[in-house]
Amino acid sequence: GKVLDDWKAEVLKKNEALAHADFFMEKIQEVGRVDAERARGMLHRRGIDDQKRWQMQKSYQELKRACGQRVPQFDETGMHVQDPRWQRVCC
């Protein structure tokens, strides 16, 4: 959405955009972990269909790369794919 568009238009600096984008991605992922259809419906009501979501994911990955951070990977449903090495250590 707007944060990624503002970053691409150079309205927001990349680190500021990343902080906002990380926040929104975390909230979307939290809802998605509980109920993927609910998350999809929530996004759809905000005008974000699957194509727009895919574009936003690609922009988010570009932003992470531009900030020198690890680029997240997403599965076919749009959920963040956890690094199995981290899961073994953490949980």
Side-chain angles (χ1 to χ4, degrees):
K2 183 167 174 24
V3 169
L4 296 170
D5 291 341
D6 284 352
W7 165 64
K8 286 190 170 196
E10 298 182 3
V11 174
L12 286 176
K13 294 180 180 177
K14 64 184 178 183
N15 290 331
E16 184 179 356
L18 181 60
H20 291 292
D22 280 342
F23 173 80
F24 290 118
M25 289 298 290
E26 182 179 318
K27 295 301 175 193
I28 291 168
Q29 292 296 317
E30 284 175 9
V31 173
R33 275 192 289 274
V34 174
D35 185 342
E37 283 306 310
R38 181 175 168 215
R40 181 171 273 123
M42 181 184 73
L43 293 171
H44 188 70
R45 285 189 297 279
R46 294 188 175 174
I48 302 171
D49 61 11
D50 288 343
Q51 181 64 29
K52 176 68 174 169
R53 182 176 46 81
W54 182 81
Q55 291 170 341
M56 290 172 63
Q57 287 173 348
K58 293 297 179 193
S59 294
Y60 181 65
Q61 289 170 320
E62 289 174 35
L63 176 58
K64 293 290 262 190
R65 192 174 293 113
C67 290
Q69 294 195 3
R70 188 168 140 291
V71 178
Q73 300 301 310
F74 300 95
D75 67 16
E76 64 280 352
T77 67
M79 291 302 297
H80 182 257
V81 177
Q82 297 289 341
D83 183 340
R85 293 172 297 171
W86 181 82
Q87 285 181 333
R88 280 196 303 269
V89 171
C90 167
C91 308

